């Protein structure tokens, strides 16, 4: 390496040696690589800046300028390139940023955004800013297959483990009413419009009942890329891109992402044509003849780990109303002259 540097100097190249770094911990553009522990993540200074920014907004009663919020959100997107668990939780923030547009001014963040920011700050402090750098371990086969049936007045979630023949496999079938999960039903008690959300919720139930969530892991652990089958292509794309702003899919995805990140799992949903997912489809129709009754796992909606989902659901109406109000008062976009002086140092 040094011979190459010397050769380029003899040819007239100029180096800023103050930017040269060595050792087993390398920081570059805010990212940190630790070769000694095989971890990658965010340098402590920038991670602390994110937590301090959220704390400052909280002290200001969640009053923030449009410009500062957009700047902060851009930096969170930068961080999410490495901290993979963060991206799903940016969805409410992006949705609110789209509603505020470029109108400028100062506004109060809606409760859903405020809760999400506090949740992100807690996770940053809890998880530290580093993750295992090696490629995730990959499961050899699909761990389970799920399906959901959406009708007027009820939703049925079902799935089975694919590591055994159906007659010996564990399975579940859970029926939900509008009283159990009102976010999957409209005013007329119809649920057909929420099929994608119901399918994702079925995957979450499968992770829970089949024991894939387990005990919380640590950042030093190498995550497992868990494969599972679904007959909804939208959810396959969602687990790849890790972001959506549609209700209630956004909130279910945030809850699922939280659970899998804490269990050091990465759920990879793979689309199965309907004719290849007939067994899970039969379970949603409550046709159980292919499965052993004693292998059924009984589960109730109240047993599911959905704390974050329920907290955010309470703020949904206020969040949507805030977006509508903001859209009504927007005038002409404010033309700002971009300057490095407008940006806060981080």
């Amino acid at each position: 390496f040094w011979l190459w540097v010397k050769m380029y100097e003899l040819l007239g190249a100029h180096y800023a040696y103050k930017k040269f770094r060595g050792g087993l911990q390398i920081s570059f553009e805010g990212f940190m690589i630790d070769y000694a522990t095989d971890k990658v993540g965010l340098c402590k200074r920038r991670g602390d800046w994110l937590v301090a920014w959220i704390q400052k907004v909280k002290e200001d009663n969640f009053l923030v300028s449009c410009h500062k919020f957009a700047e902060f959100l851009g930096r969170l997107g930068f961080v999410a390139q490495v901290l993979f668990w963060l991206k799903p939780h940016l969805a409410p923030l992006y949705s609110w940023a789209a509603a505020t547009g470029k109108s400028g001014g100062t506004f109060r963040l809606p409760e859903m955004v405020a809760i999400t920011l506090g949740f992100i700050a807690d996770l940053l402090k809890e998880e530290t800013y580093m993750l295992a750098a090696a490629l995730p371990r990959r499961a050899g086969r699909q761990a389970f297959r799920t399906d959901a049936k959406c009708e007027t007045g009820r939703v049925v979630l079902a799935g089975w483990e694919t590591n055994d023949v159906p007659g010996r496999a564990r399975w579940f079938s859970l029926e939900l009413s509008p009283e159990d999960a009102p976010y999957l039903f409209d005013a007329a008690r119809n649920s057909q419009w929420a099929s994608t959300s119901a399918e994702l919720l079925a995957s979450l139930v499968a992770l829970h009942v089949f024991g894939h969530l387990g005990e919380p892991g640590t950042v030093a652990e190498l995550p497992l890329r868990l494969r599972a089958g679904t007959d909804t292509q939208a959810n396959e794309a969602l687990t790849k891109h890790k972001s959506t702003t549609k209700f209630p899919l956004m909130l279910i995805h945030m809850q699922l992402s939280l659970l899998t990140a804490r269990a050091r799992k990465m759920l990879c949903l793979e689309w199965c044509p309907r004719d290849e997912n007939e067994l899970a489809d039969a379970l949603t129709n409550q046709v159980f003849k292919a499965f052993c009754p004693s292998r059924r796992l009984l589960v109730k909606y109240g047993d599911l780990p959905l704390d974050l989902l329920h907290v955010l659901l309470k703020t949904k109406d206020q969040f949507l109303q805030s977006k509508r109000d903001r859209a009504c008062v927007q005038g002409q976009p404010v033309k700002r002259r971009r300057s490095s002086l407008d940006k806060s140092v981080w």
Side-chain angles (χ1 to χ4, degrees):
F1 171 77
W2 290 113
L3 287 174
W4 277 101
V5 170
K6 185 62 176 178
M7 183 188 73
Y8 274 108
E9 280 197 332
L10 292 173
L11 293 175
H14 298 282
Y15 291 104
Y17 284 104
K18 63 181 181 181
K19 297 182 179 180
F20 275 48
R21 296 290 185 272
L24 297 177
Q25 286 188 334
I26 306 298
S27 177
F28 178 75
E29 295 294 338
F31 292 134
M32 174 70 73
I33 302 174
D34 190 335
Y35 290 100
T37 58
D38 199 22
K39 292 181 183 178
V40 65
L42 193 65
C43 70
K44 187 177 185 304
R45 180 175 62 84
R46 292 200 171 180
D48 289 345
W49 184 93
L50 294 175
V51 175
W53 191 95
I54 296 174
Q55 183 61 36
K56 178 65 167 58
V57 171
K58 184 177 180 180
E59 293 171 356
D60 293 339
N61 202 20
F62 295 102
L63 284 169
V64 63
S65 71
C66 181
H67 169 66
K68 292 297 183 184
F69 183 76
E71 177 190 68
F72 172 75
L73 184 54
R75 290 173 174 177
L76 275 183
F78 173 82
V79 171
Q81 295 179 76
V82 172
L83 302 184
F84 66 89
W85 56 264
L86 180 60
K87 189 173 182 180
H89 304 291
L90 302 187
L93 281 60
Y94 280 121
S95 182
W96 174 249
T100 58
K102 300 178 180 179
S103 56
T106 299
F107 50 80
R108 189 183 305 278
L109 297 175
E111 191 175 357
M112 180 179 291
V113 176
I115 291 173
T116 303
L117 286 177
F119 178 73
I120 289 174
D122 290 341
L123 279 179
L124 284 170
K125 290 184 288 187
E126 171 189 325
E127 288 280 356
T128 74
Y129 311 135
M130 304 291 285
L131 297 172
L135 290 175
R137 296 172 291 137
R138 185 177 179 85
R141 58 181 298 173
Q142 292 180 356
F144 55 80
R145 288 188 177 179
T146 57
D147 198 7
K149 186 179 184 67
C150 297
E151 298 177 334
T152 300
R154 72 168 191 158
V155 170
V156 182
L157 312 177
W160 65 287
E161 279 189 308
T162 58
N163 58 1
D164 209 338
V165 296
R168 297 195 299 264
R170 295 189 299 174
W171 58 281
F172 72 92
S173 181
L174 172 63
E175 183 173 333
L176 303 179
S177 67
E179 290 71 30
D180 293 321
Y183 52 90
L184 296 178
F185 300 85
D186 60 17
R189 299 172 66 88
N190 295 319
S191 63
Q192 291 85 347
W193 59 272
S195 60
T196 302
S197 299
E199 293 270 6
L200 190 64
L201 186 59
S203 298
L204 189 153
V205 175
L207 287 168
H208 173 67
V209 300
F210 295 142
H212 293 292
L213 298 180
E215 295 297 325
T218 65
V219 294
E221 295 177 15
L222 196 62
L224 172 67
R225 189 183 295 274
L226 190 69
R227 299 172 59 201
T230 178
D231 58 12
T232 303
Q233 289 181 306
N235 284 335
E236 179 185 32
L238 178 58
T239 57
K240 290 179 180 178
H241 301 296
K242 303 185 183 302
S243 184
T244 179
T245 57
K246 295 181 179 179
F247 281 100
L249 185 62
M250 174 178 74
L251 305 186
I252 297 173
H253 184 230
M254 290 172 66
Q255 179 68 78
L256 186 147
S257 299
L258 170 64
L259 295 172
T260 52
R262 283 181 168 168
R264 311 314 299 164
K265 303 281 176 61
M266 298 175 66
L267 181 62
C268 180
L269 291 177
E270 300 171 350
W271 174 68
C272 298
R274 185 166 294 276
D275 58 352
E276 295 181 12
N277 204 34
E278 291 179 346
L279 289 172
D281 182 63
L283 290 176
T284 63
N285 291 314
Q286 300 188 338
V287 178
F288 307 143
K289 60 183 181 181
F291 296 89
C292 178
S294 64
R295 300 292 287 169
R296 180 175 184 175
L297 300 176
L298 299 178
V299 59
K300 298 179 181 178
Y301 180 78
D303 299 332
L304 301 177
L306 302 175
D307 295 344
L308 177 63
L309 171 65
H310 291 151
V311 168
L312 294 177
L313 279 171
K314 294 178 182 178
T315 67
K316 174 189 171 184
D317 292 338
Q318 188 256 357
F319 178 72
L320 295 178
Q321 185 59 48
S322 298
K323 287 179 62 178
R324 287 191 290 267
D325 294 344
R326 189 69 186 175
C328 291
V329 300
Q330 280 197 65
Q332 294 296 322
V334 177
K335 294 183 178 179
R336 298 179 56 92
R337 190 172 181 180
R338 296 185 63 84
S339 170
S340 59
L341 297 178
D342 292 335
K343 296 182 179 181
S344 53
V345 178
W346 77 309

